[in-house]
């Protein structure tokens, strides 16, 4: 039995006092000093892990003013505050051992859109894609692009002065900032923008902090103009944090925003921004130019720039190969045909053209491709081939792939994983190839693998060397490589911090700035005299105070190495999360991650759960407990033997006894087990997999709730209950029973049995059970068209008409369906951590199904989640003995001839598909398969992009989850279901999704096979 984790790192008294004071001073947001929240916000995407004392979530500007004012009281001047947005920084920018001030949870409103004047006013926590979705209807967009656009906040972008693809045309974030509203540490609020000389005189005459700041910044600019001019490189990626070179803009106006942009939370809380917008180019095209050598791709980029494209991005073969293995490749494969020569592509330049006029675009692209053709005819042997993608939709898909590239690198096999620490160097583009040549030499000398990609037009290349930070020897390479790369950037007139900001790497600032560094310190001291805001980064307020050092901040590797290797490997599905934050995806119509979207609590995200799992395993290891051994012991022990101690422990839990495991448990229980993380996370973090392992161990110490037995046992009880459906339904229907079920069993809206006798219905349809005996009697003609339908408890007993209609549809298509006798699939057991029982159920079911499959007749399943368990959860316990059960559409799509021949038997129709999350994220082609099947039968089937429906198996039926389940439904499904335009056209593949629309909107959605049956002519 696992021990109680009764103690974790305690919160310092000073911080508890500060939090208490906030509570009594009118702070209206959330105050979270709990260990789970602290653990989850201890990482960003960097190599570091720093445990904060707590996390606070302000609701408003006045909350932040309260935080600021209190922090200046003499008793609190040692309080340290680190603002945080999406937490996607790559250099520890938002990490702190003080208080994290997370503005993304509540301060995320778009306040004002002025389409005519092309600007918007937003709160700092608004995510970049959220903003662009809101202004798209006006034909406008916020131009600076970054790979993390679906989770990075405007506050974070401003503070790192983010930019990325297209920066040569569109500039950096600060180029689009018109006004900033900042809460300064004295609690005052200041709105900054470019100001005239008179306005400047007026402000700098003030005797308060804002007046002092203006006077100081102006004097630094005037007194050190020559030095600033000499020091600051003339790059597209100008030097931020603090950008002394742009204190006055091109018109000579004083603009404090240029100091605030890129200040990485070290000067104040930026709460609102007025941002300049641009019209969305109507037309775009992307030419993918392939190379046989990556260095040649880099060198060629300078040449290609002369053709004046909007942007040029490069990716190397490593990144390309990783993308090919990811779900994302599915959406872009058609744009990357194999070169006719059959040569291997070692690098690609993605060259983008945009225009507001179609002819203009076509002319530019033609001129460009004519040049490529002419070069090829003239014997150019650098480029292998090229292909062109036309239209915003196609171009955006390719950029989507490129955006995922950083994350994908983290998914490379092995323990040495590409990590960020020298990943955003910028040099003048003409120096890039030579710089990278030396950079690669350095990595090769140190035997480091790496992947590369980047914005070659701006001279920025992303390089992530692969290092196993758990290994203390390898860890030392961070210093070796960083120092050498810093020197290299200097040699090539570039910057170490070309795009992602400084963070912990601020260490290199004093050397870089030389005599100017003290001026940065003066600015810091004026804004933050006690060094409380994100200390140790950008600049310190006094010469005696040092910046952080890249090898003196705790790294994740140093903590992770405390987990024994075997345990690490045994939980590998969660250990490699690198915090890139893709699972914080803002888009409500994307499957990732419903529990995060429904709660906006990062503890309830894949990253949150992976972080907690790592910490939990570490805590267990600290106590001498090996989680894998515990699981083995548990499988050999008796349930009854441990009952008394579980009762005692549960009583302790009820009386409030602390155990960190409860915090982990709460996070795990919020997971819908939809498996979108397993499919979409670039690292393939699979929360349901480690969640089930955790639950197994957690319930070795504590009693399980009754509902778990109800859910886990349902598949086993259901055949018996189905014999007396009237009794079961009569017992479930009354209102008092609903209340009782909710209170005692923790279940709500439990579905009712259909009461349809499958045996009788099959007889009526002339369909036989799939037994070896029946199969032996099939004529060769019938056998050639036979298929075995594998039942699942949910559709067979609660949605029998769907099963029968599906079988009828198969008959209509000329197939001979046979139905496998029902055996529990066991997935609900796996989901809830009954791992021993699951292994037994899987084994029994596999024996039956493998026996049937030995006849050579394919096995197919109707429900996506249950069917995909055969290749997911089953393979984990049975390996190659897992039966091969295809999704019905995967198999149908292989029956092309029969389908095409049947086309004339179907009326034409136009339908809309709502695919199940597990299916669309874990069996990517399955959605397209339905479209192919429909089109072969004369139907059009358009896919509607939606997030999760909120049901996901039994999640939405569990009383504790109902509110979140309904909230998740509202985020995406509700509008689709209630849109009158969609009426009669929608079809859903998942049992869960159909139950959810039925219970919330009273809409019964058909399964795609039911649609086909309806369209079948002889049916009408
Ligand atoms: C996979 C990956 C790809 C990336 N690609 C790019 C890219 O293409 N281009 C690019 O520029 N960056 C990129 N980054 C880095 C990162 O996404 C950006 O720096 C982004 O702007 C950070 O935004 P955030 O909301 O996550 O901010 P956070 O990481 O939360 O914070 C960043 C900094 O801003 C400060 N901050 C945040 N909000 C406030 C506020 N309201 N007031 C004051 N200070 C605040 C924090 O203290 C911190 O110093 C990438 C990161 C990852 C993980
Ligand atoms: S769970 Fe996956 S997507 Fe989320 S932060 Fe970790 S690695 Fe990134
Ligand atoms: S399974 Fe679904 S709900 Fe659970 S963490 Fe993964 S994406 Fe989120």
């Amino acid at each position: 039995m696992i021990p109680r984790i009764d103690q974790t790192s305690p919160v310092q008294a000073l911080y508890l006092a500060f939090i208490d004071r906030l509570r009594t001073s009118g702070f209206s947001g959330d105050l979270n000093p709990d260990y789970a929240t602290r653990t989850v916000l201890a990482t960003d995407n960097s190599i570091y892990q720093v445990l904060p004392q707590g996390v606070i979530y302000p609701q408003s500007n006045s909350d932040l003013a309260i935080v600021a004012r209190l922090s200046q009281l003499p008793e609190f001047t040692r309080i340290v505050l680190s603002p945080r947005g999406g937490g996607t920084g790559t250099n520890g920018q938002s990490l702190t051992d003080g208080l994290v001030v997370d503005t993304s949870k509540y301060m995320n409103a778009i306040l004002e859109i002025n389409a005519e004047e092309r600007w918007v006013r937003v709160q700092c926590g608004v995510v970049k894609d959220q903003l662009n979705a809101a202004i798209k209807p006006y034909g406008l967009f916020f131009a600076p692009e970054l790979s993390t656009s679906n989770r990075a906040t405007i506050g974070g972008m401003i503070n790192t002065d983010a930019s990325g693809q297209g920066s040569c045309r569109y500039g950096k974030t600060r180029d689009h900032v018109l006004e900033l509203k900042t809460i300064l540490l004295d609690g005052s609020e200041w709105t900054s923008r470019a100001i005239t000389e008179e306005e400047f005189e007026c402000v700098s005459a003030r005797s308060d902090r804002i007046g002092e700041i203006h006077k100081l910044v102006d004097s630094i600019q005037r007194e050190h103009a020559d030095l600033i001019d000499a020091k600051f490189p003339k790059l597209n990626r100008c030097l931020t944090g603090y950008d002394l070179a742009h204190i006055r803009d091109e018109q000579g106006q004083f603009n404090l925003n240029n100091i605030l942009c890129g200040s990485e939370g070290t000067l104040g809380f930026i709460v609102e921004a007025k941002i300049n917008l641009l019209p969305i180019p109507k037309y775009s095209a992307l030419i993918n130019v392939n190379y046989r050598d990556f260095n040649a791709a880099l060198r060629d980029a300078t040449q290609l720039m002369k053709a004046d494209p909007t942007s040029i991005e490069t990716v190397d073969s490593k990144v390309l190969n990783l993308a090919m293995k990811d779900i994302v490749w599915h959406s872009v494969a058609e744009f990357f045909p194999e070169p006719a020569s059959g040569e291997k592509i070692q690098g690609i330049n993605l060259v983008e053209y945009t225009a507001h006029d179609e002819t203009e675009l076509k002319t530019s692209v033609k001129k460009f491709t004519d040049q490529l053709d002419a070069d090829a005819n003239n014997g150019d042997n650098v480029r292998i081939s090229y292909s062109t993608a036309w239209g915003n939709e196609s171009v955006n898909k390719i950029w989507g792939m490129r955006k995922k590239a950083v994350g994908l690198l983290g998914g490379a096999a092995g323990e040495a994983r590409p990590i960020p620490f020298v990943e955003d160097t910028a040099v003048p583009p003409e120096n890039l190839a030579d710089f990278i040549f030396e950079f690669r030499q350095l990595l090769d000398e140190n035997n480091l693998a790496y992947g590369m990609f980047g914005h070659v037009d701006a001279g920025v290349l992303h390089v992530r060397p692969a290092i196993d930070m758990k290994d203390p020897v390898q860890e030392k390479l961070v210093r070796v490589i960083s120092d050498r790369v810093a020197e290299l950037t200097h040699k090539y007139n570039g910057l170490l911090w070309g795009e992602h900001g400084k963070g912990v790497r601020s260490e290199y600032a004093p050397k870089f700035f030389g005599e100017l560094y003290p001026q940065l310190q003066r600015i810091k001291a004026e804004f933050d005299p006690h060094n409380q805001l994100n200390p140790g980064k950008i600049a310190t307020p006094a010469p005696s105070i040092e910046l952080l050092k890249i090898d003196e901040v705790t790294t994740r590797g140093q903590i992770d190495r405390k987990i024994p290797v075997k345990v690490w490997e045994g939980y590998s599905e969660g250990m490699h999360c690198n915090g890139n934050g893709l699972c914080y995806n803002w888009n409500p119509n994307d499957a990732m991650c419903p529990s995060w979207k429904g709660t906006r609590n990062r503890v309830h995200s894949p990253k949150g759960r992976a972080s907690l799992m790592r910490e939990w395993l570490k805590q267990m290891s600290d106590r001498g407990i090996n989680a894998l051994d515990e699981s083995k012991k548990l499988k050999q022990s008796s349930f009854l033997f441990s009952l008394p101690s579980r009762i005692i422990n549960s009583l302790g839990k009820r009386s409030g006894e602390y155990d960190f495991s409860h915090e982990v448990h709460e996070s795990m229980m919020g997971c819908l087990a939809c498996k979108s993380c397993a499919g979409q996370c670039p690292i393939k973090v699979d929360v349901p997999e480690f969640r089930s392992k955790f639950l197994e161990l957690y319930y070795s110490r504590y009693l399980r709730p009754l509902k778990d037995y109800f859910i886990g046992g349902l598949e086993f009880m259901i055949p018996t209950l189905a014999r007396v459906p009237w009794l079961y339904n009569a017992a479930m229907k009354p209102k008092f029973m609903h209340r009782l079920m909710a209170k005692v069993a923790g279940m709500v809206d439990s579905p009712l049995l259909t009461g349809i006798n499958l045996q009788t219905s099959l007889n009526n349809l002339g369909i036989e059970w799939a037994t070896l005996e029946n199969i032996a009697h099939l004529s060769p003609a019938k056998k050639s068209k036979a298929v075995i339908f594998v039942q699942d408890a949910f559709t067979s007993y609660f949605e029998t008409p769907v099963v029968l209609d599906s079988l009828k549809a198969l008959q209509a298509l000329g197939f001979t369906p046979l139905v496998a006798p029902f055996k529990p699939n066991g997935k609900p057991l796996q989901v809830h951590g009954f791992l021993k029982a699951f292994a037994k159920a899987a084994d029994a079911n596999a024996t039956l199904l493998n026996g049937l499959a030995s006849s050579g007749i394919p096995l197919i399943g109707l429900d996506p989640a249950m069917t995909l368990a055969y290749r997911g959860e089953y393979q984990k316990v049975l390996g190659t003995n897992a039966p091969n059960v295809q999704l019905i559409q995967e198999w149908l799509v292989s029956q092309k001839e029969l389908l095409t021949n049947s086309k004339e038997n179907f009326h034409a129709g136009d339908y809309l598909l709502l695919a199940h999350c597990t299916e669309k994220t874990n069996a990517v082609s399955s959605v397209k398969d339905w479209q192919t099947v429909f089109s072969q039968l004369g139907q059009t089937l358009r896919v509607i992009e939606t997030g999760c429906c909120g049901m996901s198996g039994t999640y939405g039926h569990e009383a504790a989850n109902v509110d979140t389940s309904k909230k998740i439904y509202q985020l995406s499904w509700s509008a689709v279901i209630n849109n009158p335009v969609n009426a009669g056209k929608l079809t859903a593949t998942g049992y869960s999704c159909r139950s959810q629309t039925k219970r919330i909107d009273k809409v019964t959605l058909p399964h795609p096979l039911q649609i086909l049956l309806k369209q079948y002519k002889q049916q009408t």
Side-chain angles (χ1 to χ4, degrees):
M1 179 184 299
I2 54 166
R4 180 158 77 96
I5 302 175
D6 54 353
Q7 260 222 312
T8 52
S9 177
V11 180
Q12 292 167 17
L14 175 68
Y15 283 90
L16 285 177
F18 187 70
I19 288 171
D20 270 351
R21 189 71 73 86
L22 283 173
R23 204 171 274 133
T24 53
S25 303
F27 183 88
S28 65
D30 302 346
L31 302 165
N32 284 76
D34 58 282
Y35 196 56
T37 307
R38 292 167 66 202
T39 303
V40 172
L41 277 88
T43 56
D44 53 1
N45 180 230
S46 70
I47 56 176
Y48 302 106
Q49 177 160 346
V50 184
L51 187 69
Q53 298 299 315
V55 181
I56 62 176
Y57 300 96
Q59 299 236 30
S60 61
N61 298 358
S62 55
D63 272 353
L64 282 168
I66 293 171
V67 173
R69 263 196 305 272
L70 284 185
S71 73
Q72 299 310 289
L73 297 179
E75 64 269 38
F76 292 131
T77 51
R78 281 186 299 114
I79 288 285
V80 161
L81 303 160
S82 181
R84 181 164 172 137
T88 64
T90 53
N91 305 295
Q93 283 100 327
S94 62
L95 305 187
T96 179
D97 56 3
L99 271 188
V100 172
V101 183
D102 187 329
T103 56
S104 68
K105 187 171 183 180
Y106 296 117
M107 298 181 66
N108 51 27
I110 295 168
L111 301 168
E112 198 179 350
I113 300 175
N114 189 327
E116 217 164 89
E117 294 173 15
R118 296 210 306 237
W119 56 259
V120 68
R121 209 157 51 78
V122 295
Q123 284 189 301
C124 54
V126 165
V127 168
K128 143 110 180 166
D129 279 1
Q130 174 195 354
L131 170 60
N132 275 348
I135 55 182
K136 194 174 175 196
Y138 302 95
L140 298 171
F141 79 125
F142 173 43
E145 183 55 306
L146 77 176
S147 301
T148 45
S149 62
N150 61 12
R151 57 228 195 246
T153 60
I154 302 296
M157 286 183 74
I158 290 168
N159 273 280
T160 54
D161 198 11
S163 63
Q165 176 252 322
S167 67
C168 289
R169 175 70 50 94
Y170 296 122
K172 302 180 77 181
T173 298
R174 72 180 190 102
D175 296 316
H176 301 269
V177 167
L178 302 173
E179 262 177 34
L180 291 178
K181 194 177 274 185
T182 307
I183 305 286
L184 300 173
L185 270 190
D186 62 1
S188 63
E189 191 176 286
W190 180 249
T191 301
S192 47
R193 56 182 166 76
I195 49 177
T196 60
E197 220 39 51
E198 297 84 72
E199 285 171 315
F200 174 77
E201 291 308 328
C202 192
V203 180
S204 53
R206 291 166 58 143
S207 58
D208 58 4
R209 183 168 286 184
I210 201 65
E212 295 304 321
I213 288 171
H214 278 72
K215 276 193 283 270
L216 172 74
V217 170
D218 178 59
S219 73
I220 291 175
Q221 191 248 327
R222 288 182 194 285
E223 288 159 22
H224 303 276
D226 291 344
L227 199 53
I228 293 170
D229 192 49
K231 268 281 166 226
F232 278 68
K234 314 281 176 292
L235 285 171
N236 159 279
R237 299 307 174 86
C238 57
L239 181 52
T240 55
Y242 312 126
D243 187 3
L244 304 181
H246 295 90
I247 292 171
R248 283 179 190 270
D249 62 18
E250 278 155 17
Q251 288 74 41
Q253 297 201 100
F254 182 93
N255 193 346
L256 194 65
N257 291 346
N258 289 338
I259 295 293
L260 291 169
C261 287
S263 63
E264 300 188 8
T266 59
L267 300 181
F269 298 108
I270 291 178
V271 286
E272 280 175 31
K274 181 176 165 186
I275 294 170
N276 169 52
L277 306 174
L278 295 178
I280 302 173
K282 282 203 183 94
Y283 303 95
S284 62
L286 201 65
I287 303 110
N288 307 317
V289 189
N290 303 321
Y291 298 82
R292 49 179 66 87
D293 176 64
F294 182 62
N295 238 37
L298 290 179
R299 285 190 194 283
D300 197 33
T302 324
Q303 188 63 26
L304 301 183
M305 289 267 288
K306 291 181 187 151
D308 195 27
T310 306
S311 68
I312 306 184
E313 296 280 297
T314 307
V315 290
D316 74 357
S317 56
K318 178 152 198 154
V319 174
L320 196 65
N321 289 335
L322 285 166
M324 282 177 180
K325 289 185 206 137
D326 188 77
I327 182 174
V328 77
W329 193 250
H330 194 73
S331 59
V332 298
E334 61 182 296
F335 306 116
F336 295 90
E338 293 257 323
S341 63
E343 281 174 272
K344 215 167 152 13
I345 301 171
Q346 295 295 344
I348 296 185
N349 275 326
L350 305 168
V351 185
E352 185 189 30
Y353 281 92
T354 54
H356 293 286
D357 173 87
E358 195 172 6
T359 317
E360 187 195 325
L361 177 79
K362 284 189 171 155
T363 310
S364 308
V365 172
K366 182 163 183 321
K367 198 171 154 205
F368 181 74
T369 52
D370 280 353
Q371 187 60 51
L372 295 182
D373 293 338
D375 291 348
N377 290 335
N378 291 338
D380 164 34
N381 61 0
V382 178
R383 305 171 196 136
I384 310 178
S385 60
Y386 70 87
S387 58
T388 309
W390 291 97
N392 290 357
E393 197 182 330
S394 307
V395 170
N396 286 339
K397 280 184 188 166
I398 299 175
W399 286 143
M401 182 274 286
R402 154 63 191 83
K403 279 183 181 184
K404 210 174 175 187
V406 199
L408 287 172
L409 277 174
E415 288 302 319
R417 302 266 168 141
I419 50 166
F421 60 100
V422 282
E423 67 159 3
D424 56 334
T425 53
V427 296
E430 60 278 13
N431 295 348
L432 185 62
D434 292 330
F435 165 73
I436 290 296
F437 183 76
E438 285 201 52
F439 197 156
R440 292 175 85 173
Q441 266 185 339
L442 168 65
L443 298 174
D444 292 342
E445 275 165 26
N446 286 281
N447 295 319
L448 289 171
Y450 52 87
M452 287 189 178
F453 59 93
H455 325 293
V456 276
D457 50 0
V460 175
L461 215 73
H462 296 305
V463 184
R464 288 194 170 196
I467 293 179
D468 180 1
M469 291 292 285
K470 297 194 298 316
D471 175 356
V473 178
Q474 291 189 51
E475 183 194 89
K476 292 202 164 49
L477 286 170
V478 169
R479 162 64 68 194
V480 175
I481 303 292
S482 298
D483 286 354
R484 292 278 305 278
V485 173
E487 283 162 21
L488 265 184
T489 51
H490 186 66
K491 172 175 169 188
Y492 285 98
N493 300 324
L495 292 171
L496 176 64
W497 329 272
E499 186 171 281
H500 296 170
K502 298 195 177 91
V504 176
R505 303 181 305 175
S506 302
E507 176 192 332
Y508 293 96
K511 187 164 175 206
F512 179 91
F513 286 100
E515 293 160 64
L516 277 180
Y517 180 67
Q519 305 313 318
L520 303 187
Q521 290 186 299
R522 288 174 70 202
I523 294 178
K524 170 73 176 173
E526 196 58 61
F527 276 90
D528 178 15
H530 307 296
N531 200 21
Q532 289 173 282
L533 277 171
N534 228 354
K537 296 163 197 168
I538 308 281
T540 62
S544 57
I545 308 175
E546 290 208 356
L547 287 160
L548 294 169
K549 299 250 179 319
I550 59 165
D551 42 10
E552 286 177 11
V553 177
T554 316
T555 64
R556 257 197 59 180
Q558 287 162 3
I559 296 174
D560 290 346
R561 71 178 66 132
K562 294 181 183 159
I563 301 172
V565 176
K566 282 272 172 252
V567 176
W568 179 269
E569 287 169 356
Y571 281 77
S572 63
E573 66 277 351
M575 298 301 101
H576 292 290
C577 163
N578 67 6
N580 67 71
L582 194 91
C583 51
Y584 294 150
N585 187 347
W586 157 86
N587 185 356
N589 295 326
D590 186 286
M592 180 93 110
C593 153
S595 60
W596 146 246
K597 286 183 185 141
T599 59
R600 298 282 302 182
N601 180 348
R602 296 191 195 272
V603 166
H604 288 287
S605 69
K607 175 177 170 177
R609 296 185 174 110
S611 308
L612 290 175
M613 202 63 226
R614 278 201 315 276
E615 178 60 21
W616 187 78
L617 289 172
K618 193 203 99 186
Q619 293 283 349
M620 282 294 158
S621 307
D622 287 350
R623 286 162 176 77
I625 300 295
N626 176 317
L628 296 179
D629 292 347
E630 282 303 307
S631 168
K632 267 191 219 141
K633 275 192 246 158
L634 197 62
K635 292 194 175 82
Q636 285 148 12
S637 68
S638 138
F639 172 82
L640 286 177
F641 183 72
S642 62
L643 189 60
S645 42
R646 279 185 287 131
I647 293 174
I648 294 168
N649 294 335
S650 300
L651 288 173
K653 177 181 173 182
R654 191 176 276 191
S655 68
E657 218 169 51
Y658 179 75
D659 184 350
F660 174 53
S661 297
H662 298 327
E663 294 186 56
V664 182
H665 177 255
E666 197 187 326
S667 160
M668 299 299 168
M669 292 318 288
C671 167
L672 285 86
C674 69
K675 289 192 80 104
S676 294
C677 46
Q680 285 186 308
C681 161
I683 319 294
K684 309 285 173 275
V685 164
D686 183 346
V687 174
E689 186 60 24
F690 64 71
R691 174 185 116 119
S692 61
K693 293 178 188 171
F694 169 80
L695 291 180
E696 179 191 47
L697 293 180
Y698 181 79
Y699 289 123
S700 71
R701 184 175 174 85
Y702 297 101
L703 291 173
R704 274 184 178 276
L706 205 56
K707 70 164 177 58
D708 281 19
Y709 297 103
F710 181 77
I711 295 167
L714 190 66
E715 284 191 293
F716 297 84
M717 297 182 290
I718 207 78
T720 313
L721 294 172
R723 290 202 193 124
V724 281
W726 51 271
L727 186 62
Y728 174 87
N729 290 347
M732 290 304 226
K733 260 185 196 158
K735 282 250 153 48
F736 80 88
M737 199 57 195
H738 291 190
R739 285 195 293 274
L740 197 71
M741 279 291 286
K743 203 167 165 60
V744 178
M747 301 296 292
V748 292
D749 305 328
S750 299
L752 300 180
L753 292 163
T754 59
I756 299 171
N757 185 310
L758 195 61
Q759 173 75 69
T760 316
S761 307
L762 294 183
N763 289 347
N764 292 341
L765 293 173
I767 294 174
E768 294 192 330
W769 291 111
T771 61
L772 291 178
E773 200 186 346
N774 287 342
I775 291 170
H777 288 119
L778 288 176
S779 68
K782 280 208 152 188
K783 191 170 174 187
S784 71
K785 290 185 180 165
V787 63
I788 297 173
F789 183 94
V790 179
Q791 297 187 68
D792 67 84
F794 301 100
T795 54
S796 280
Y797 293 98
F798 298 112
E799 255 193 341
T800 327
V802 177
V803 172
L804 295 174
D805 286 349
S806 301
L807 294 168
K808 281 189 222 165
L810 292 174
Q811 284 181 318
L813 288 166
F815 298 109
T816 310
L818 302 162
V819 176
F822 176 76
K823 263 212 183 293
N825 169 298
K827 179 164 166 118
L829 287 171
Q830 198 276 347
V831 166
H832 287 84
F834 293 99
L835 295 186
K836 186 172 160 186
F838 168 65
K840 207 167 149 201
D843 191 47
N845 195 23
T847 306
L848 169 81
L849 296 177
N850 285 335
L852 295 176
S854 67
S855 66
I857 301 175
L859 307 175
I860 55 170
L862 188 66
D863 184 68
M866 298 297 267
T867 307
L868 288 171
Y870 294 112
R871 70 190 69 161
E873 291 81 352
Y874 268 54
Q875 283 201 2
K876 296 250 162 63
V877 290
L878 299 174
T880 51
N881 270 343
N884 176 14
V885 186
Q886 298 179 65
L887 289 166
I888 216 157
Q889 70 272 29
E890 289 175 334
W891 170 77
L892 273 173
V893 88
S894 66
Q895 309 296 311
K896 191 171 172 194
E897 206 183 318
L898 244 176
L899 293 188
T900 320
N901 292 342
S902 303
K903 185 173 176 178
E904 62 193 31
N905 298 333
F906 288 81
H907 298 292
D910 185 8
Y911 291 97
L912 302 167
L913 181 72
L914 292 162
H916 187 279
C917 287
T918 311
E919 166 181 58
K920 66 187 176 205
T921 57
N922 286 264
V924 196
S925 62
S926 64
V927 175
K928 207 165 198 146
D929 289 346
W930 272 126
Q931 290 182 296
T932 311
V933 170
F934 266 57
S935 117
Q936 279 164 354
L937 295 171
Q939 323 290 318
T940 54
L941 184 67
R942 279 171 296 139
V943 179
I944 302 209
E945 300 298 340
T946 50
C948 175
C949 71
M951 178 54 82
S952 194
T954 54
Y955 173 89
H957 286 305
E958 296 180 33
N961 303 331
V962 171
D963 290 347
T964 315
S965 167
K966 292 186 177 170
K967 194 164 174 198
I968 294 168
Y969 181 81
Q970 297 303 330
L971 290 175
S972 159
W973 277 64
S974 176
V976 176
I977 302 299
N978 293 304
N979 185 345
V981 175
N982 297 339
K985 291 187 170 182
L986 296 167
T987 167
T989 55
Y991 164 79
S992 308
C993 322
R994 293 190 295 271
S995 327
Q996 183 79 322
T997 61
K998 214 186 299 175
R999 100 163 157 172
I1000 297 185
D1001 277 324
K1002 313 284 175 273
V1003 172
T1004 303
L1005 294 180
H1007 182 273
L1009 279 182
Q1010 290 182 295
I1011 296 284
L1012 291 180
L1013 186 66
K1014 190 175 99 175
Q1015 295 301 92
Y1016 184 52
K1017 285 182 183 165
Q1018 288 166 33
Q1019 185 79 4
T1020 50

